[in-house]
């Protein structure tokens, strides 16, 4: 009974991501950080929060999908993260429905 | 095939459920989302009601320190992600080096944070300080949230460091190896979550104008 027999225990986790790919993602993350800092220096008025949160969400998606391997895992993990994230968004929107129209 | 695997598991090896371990870690991360999510909702509501004062207060923070700390955390996420590839390739020393670099970067982040807080506290800006009490309501709320949210995040950085140091011991003594590295994966997942929380804290506290 050698190691290969047990490959099932590792499931999808055995996917190996190359160092180069990780470094590319890191470069992307640093560039997005630079973009968000540069944009914050401009006078975007009300749009500033929206652009900042959009860039933060793109960065989070990169970290989740590559660094945290969601892209290579069983689809189930993706659904779970989606459900958790949507639940949080619903909490925030319901709070504002209450608060903004008071 | 599957029965073969089952017998193999019961006969020669202790039972292991890597998928379950990883799923458990993800479920724990979702509870962290609720923990920080609550604070983010409080932040959102107060920023909505005290927008101008939040911007005034944010001018007190050093944007450069925040940016440097962001780069430090992103890099630490890179090194811990690369350590998974290293252990998958069976390179023990490289794994130790990469996880070690992550711990060093985490320490650099905390050191930066320490000087930043120290600077604020010396300037008389801390919860309940006489200087802060006389400022507008929005400024008091901003710094209250600043200390609670970055403080809770810093606590997570400390916990993450401890977890990763323990993982280094596991790699060193062979508990974590090429054929079994789910512990390191779980530790890395926790570290990436700490990074993601900072990705949102950074623009919300440092980049208001």
């Amino acid at each position: 009974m050698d190691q290969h027999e047990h490959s099932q225990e590792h499931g999808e986790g055995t996917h190996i991501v190359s160092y180069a790919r990780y470094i590319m993602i890191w470069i992307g993350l640093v560039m997005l950080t630079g973009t968000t800092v540069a944009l914050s220096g401009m006078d975007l008025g009300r749009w500033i929060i929206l652009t900042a949160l959009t860039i933060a969400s793109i960065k989070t998606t990169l970290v989740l999908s590559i660094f945290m391997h969601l892209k290579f895992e069983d689809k189930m993990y993706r659904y779970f993260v989606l459900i958790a994230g949507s639940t949080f968004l619903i909490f925030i929107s319901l709070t504002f429905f209450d608060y903004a129209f008071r | 095939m599957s029965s073969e695997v089952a017998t193999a598991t019961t006969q020669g090896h202790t039972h292991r459920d890597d998928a379950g371990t990883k799923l458990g870690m993800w479920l724990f991360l979702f509870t962290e989302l609720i923990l920080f999510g609550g604070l983010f909702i409080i932040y959102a509501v107060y920023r909505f009601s005290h927008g101008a004062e939040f911007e005034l207060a944010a001018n007190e923070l050093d944007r450069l320190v925040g940016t440097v700390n962001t780069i430090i955390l992103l890099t630490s996420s890179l090194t811990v992600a690369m350590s998974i590839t290293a252990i998958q390739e069976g390179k023990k020393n490289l794994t130790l080096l990469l996880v070690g670099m992550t711990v060093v970067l985490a320490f650099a982040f905390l050191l930066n944070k320490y000087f930043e807080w120290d600077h604020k506290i010396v300037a008389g800006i801390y919860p309940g300080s006489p200087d802060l009490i006389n400022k507008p309501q929005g400024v008091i709320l901003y710094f209250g949230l600043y200390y609670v949210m970055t403080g809770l995040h810093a606590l997570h950085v400390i916990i993450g460091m401890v977890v990763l140091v323990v993982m280094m011991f596991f790699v060193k003594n062979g508990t974590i190896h090429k054929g079994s590295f789910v512990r390191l994966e779980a530790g890395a997942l926790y570290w990436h979550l700490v990074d993601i929380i900072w990705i949102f804290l950074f623009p919300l506290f440092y980049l208001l104008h």
Side-chain angles (χ1 to χ4, degrees), chain B:
Chain B
M1 176 65 204
S2 63
S3 65
E4 230 176 284
V5 172
T7 31
T9 327
T10 42
Q11 274 174 0
H13 297 261
T14 44
H15 179 69
R16 226 176 72 213
D17 184 0
D18 287 355
T21 306
K22 220 186 285 179
L23 186 58
M25 193 63 207
W26 274 102
L27 290 178
F28 170 68
L29 297 189
F30 295 151
T31 70
E32 294 277 15
L33 172 70
I34 302 297
L35 175 67
F36 278 94
L39 291 167
F40 276 112
I41 291 177
I42 295 172
Y43 173 95
V45 168
Y46 282 141
R47 177 155 175 188
F48 181 74
S49 59
H50 298 81
E53 287 163 16
F54 262 48
E55 286 171 28
L56 186 73
N59 282 334
E60 300 278 338
L61 289 195
D62 192 334
R63 186 174 291 220
L64 182 68
V65 175
T67 310
V68 168
N69 258 354
T70 305
I71 307 284
I72 288 176
L73 267 200
L74 289 176
T75 312
S76 72
S77 246
L78 169 73
T79 51
V80 83
M82 284 166 79
S83 79
I84 302 293
T85 301
I87 197 76
Q88 281 172 327
E89 290 176 347
K91 293 174 183 159
K92 188 172 169 178
N93 287 333
L94 184 61
T95 308
L96 283 172
L97 177 72
L98 287 166
V99 182
M101 277 168 72
T102 310
V103 174
V104 170
L105 287 165
F107 187 74
F109 176 90
L110 285 177
L111 207 62
N112 233 336
K113 195 94 243 154
Y114 166 78
F115 284 121
E116 192 186 25
W117 275 32
D118 186 56
H119 190 71
K120 287 278 150 314
I121 290 167
V122 168
I125 302 172
Y126 54 91
S129 80
D131 284 0
L132 196 55
I133 288 283
N134 295 319
K135 298 223 161 110
Q137 187 73 30
V139 177
I140 300 173
L141 287 169
Y142 173 90
F143 279 108
L145 284 166
Y146 164 76
Y147 276 108
V148 170
M149 292 178 84
T150 62
L152 189 63
H153 178 263
L155 183 67
H156 278 73
V157 172
I158 294 169
I159 295 169
M161 277 173 79
V162 173
V163 167
L164 290 176
V165 167
V166 171
M167 292 309 140
M168 285 176 77
F169 277 111
F170 280 153
V171 173
K172 203 157 172 55
N173 73 14
T175 310
I176 293 174
H177 55 87
K178 192 183 176 187
S180 169
F181 51 85
V182 72
R183 286 181 178 88
L184 185 60
E185 275 188 299
L189 283 176
Y190 183 79
W191 191 254
H192 293 308
L193 176 92
V194 171
D195 187 27
I196 287 177
I197 291 164
W198 184 259
I199 285 175
F200 283 94
L201 287 179
F202 170 58
L204 291 179
F205 280 101
Y206 292 81
L207 300 181
L208 319 185
H209 218 20

Side-chain angles (χ1 to χ4, degrees), chain A residues 32-97:
Chain A
L32 283 168
T33 305
T35 311
T36 197
V37 173
L39 283 175
S40 76
M42 295 174 194
D43 192 16
L44 294 175
R46 294 183 67 86
W47 294 100
I48 185 98
I49 179 99
L50 204 68
T51 48
L53 287 179
T54 307
I55 291 174
S57 304
I58 297 169
K59 285 166 78 178
T60 301
T61 311
L62 286 176
V63 172
L64 281 169
S65 56
I66 309 297
F67 281 2
M68 296 173 91
H69 290 189
L70 273 190
K71 198 174 173 195
F72 321 107
E73 297 276 8
D74 195 291
K75 273 202 166 62
M76 175 189 70
Y77 291 96
R78 253 171 283 177
Y79 296 138
F80 276 10
V81 172
L82 216 61
I83 291 169
S86 317
T87 309
F88 178 60
L89 280 181
I90 290 169
F91 281 169
I92 280 229
S93 7
L94 284 182
T95 308
F96 273 90
F97 267 119

